[in-house]
């Protein structure tokens, strides 16, 4: 099983700042099959990025994903108030199974 | 628009079973699979398994023998039954559409509470 470790566990930033979230895999993720999700309190997760760097439909371009192999990054270029949430990465390169990271909580400073 | 609507909250006693439904709309149901993911209170996301559009299933080993996933293509509805419930099965259970490996969209979630 591929274990995903997200860092930091929590991050305190101010609106307008840049956020950089990391997701590290215990072994190489085939074909960069990695997705990122955003979850706000009381809501279901929402897909942001798939294939490591492709934004999902309707996702603002301030969200970007990068990386390959075992190291992946989600960057939010200029934080908006609605971006403060928990972010999860997911690898699907070991299909048919899949795993999630433990999440990074992005908080308002 | 593509939408998944799940059944309402459930309360069960330890040892009982629960079935959660997930009704899809806005797309050709047999062309995609449905995955089930759960989230214990204050915890992260845990993948449980999936059922393909053709009815093939795969689930996480820890749920072996306790979970059954089915679909009814006539009503575009997926079902997840979890048996022999324990207190640590208390969680929000989500269904999500999947095709190429990622999950989009997700249902609104169903809270299952296991308590004596």
């Amino acid at each position: 099983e591929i274990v995903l470790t997200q860092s930091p566990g929590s991050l305190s930033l101010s609106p307008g700042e840049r956020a950089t979230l990391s997701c590290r895999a215990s072994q190489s993720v085939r074909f960069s099959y990695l997705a990122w999700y955003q979850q706000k309190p009381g809501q279901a997760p929402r897909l942001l990025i798939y294939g490591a760097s492709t934004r999902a439909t309707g996702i603002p371009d301030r969200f970007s994903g990068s990386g390959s192999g075992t190291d992946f990054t989600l960057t939010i270029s200029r934080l908006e108030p609605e971006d403060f949430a928990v972010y999860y990465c997911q690898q699907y390169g070991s299909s048919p199974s899949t795993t999630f990271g433990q999440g990074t909580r992005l908080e308002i400073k | 628009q593509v939408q998944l609507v799940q059944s309402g909250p459930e309360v069960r006693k330890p040892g009982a079973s629960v079935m959660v439904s997930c009704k899809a709309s806005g797309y050709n149901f047999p062309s995609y699979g449905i995955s089930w993911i759960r989230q214990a209170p204050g915890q992260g996301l845990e993948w449980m398994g999936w059922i393909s559009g053709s009815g093939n299933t795969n689930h996480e080993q820890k749920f072996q023998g306790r979970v059954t996933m089915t679909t009814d293509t006539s009503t575009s509805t997926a079902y997840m039954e979890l048996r022999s419930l324990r207190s640590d099965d208390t969680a929000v259970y989500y269904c999500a559409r999947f095709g190429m490996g990622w999950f989009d969209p997700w249902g609104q979630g169903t809270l299952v509470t296991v308590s004596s």
Side-chain angles (χ1 to χ4, degrees):
Chain A
E1 173 183 294
I2 297 179
V3 177
L4 299 179
T5 302
Q6 292 187 240
S7 61
S10 64
L11 186 58
S12 293
L13 293 170
S14 300
E17 290 192 292
R18 180 186 187 91
T20 303
L21 285 64
S22 173
C23 177
R24 178 161 291 178
S26 60
Q27 55 187 280
S28 184
V29 178
R30 271 191 332 146
F31 308 121
S32 296
Y33 280 173
L34 189 111
W36 289 93
Y37 300 86
Q38 176 193 68
Q39 187 178 33
K40 297 180 181 179
Q43 296 185 17
R46 177 176 71 145
L47 176 70
L48 298 175
I49 301 282
Y50 61 90
S53 61
T54 303
R55 274 189 301 277
T57 302
I59 302 304
D61 61 8
R62 64 180 181 272
F63 291 91
S64 63
S66 63
S68 63
T70 61
D71 290 301
F72 298 87
T73 301
L74 174 70
T75 302
I76 311 171
S77 58
R78 295 172 309 280
L79 285 165
E80 298 286 345
E82 62 267 28
D83 298 337
F84 292 92
V86 179
Y87 292 84
Y88 293 95
C89 57
Q90 174 224 352
Q91 68 77 24
Y92 49 97
S94 60
S95 183
S97 67
T98 183
T99 50
F100 290 94
Q102 83 281 14
T104 290
R105 183 177 303 275
L106 180 56
E107 301 171 326
I108 298 179
K109 190 172 183 179
Chain B
Q1 76 282 18
V2 177
Q3 192 174 12
L4 301 176
V5 178
Q6 297 183 224
S7 49
E10 304 276 8
V11 179
R12 294 287 187 272
K13 294 189 184 303
S17 299
V18 69
M19 179 173 283
V20 179
S21 68
C22 170
K23 183 170 177 58
S25 61
Y27 71 98
N28 184 30
F29 184 72
S31 295
Y32 292 83
I34 292 288
S35 196
W36 292 90
I37 301 115
R38 74 178 186 179
Q39 186 171 38
Q43 302 302 307
L45 302 169
E46 179 179 32
W47 177 73
M48 298 180 69
W50 53 254
I51 181 166
S52 73
S54 58
N56 295 319
T57 60
N58 182 269
H59 53 264
E60 184 60 65
Q61 192 69 17
K62 71 179 285 186
F63 299 106
Q64 182 77 27
R66 285 211 301 145
V67 70
T68 300
M69 297 174 188
T70 57
T71 58
D72 181 345
T73 54
S74 69
T75 60
S76 299
T77 302
Y79 299 91
M80 187 281 298
E81 181 186 35
L82 189 61
R83 299 178 292 278
S84 302
L85 289 168
R86 306 185 288 253
S87 59
D88 62 358
D89 290 319
T90 293
V92 175
Y93 289 76
Y94 293 102
C95 63
R97 188 184 74 163
F98 86 97
M100 300 293 287
W102 59 86
F103 304 127
D104 180 49
W106 296 54
Q108 83 276 19
T110 296
L111 175 62
V112 175
T113 302
V114 183
S115 174
S116 56

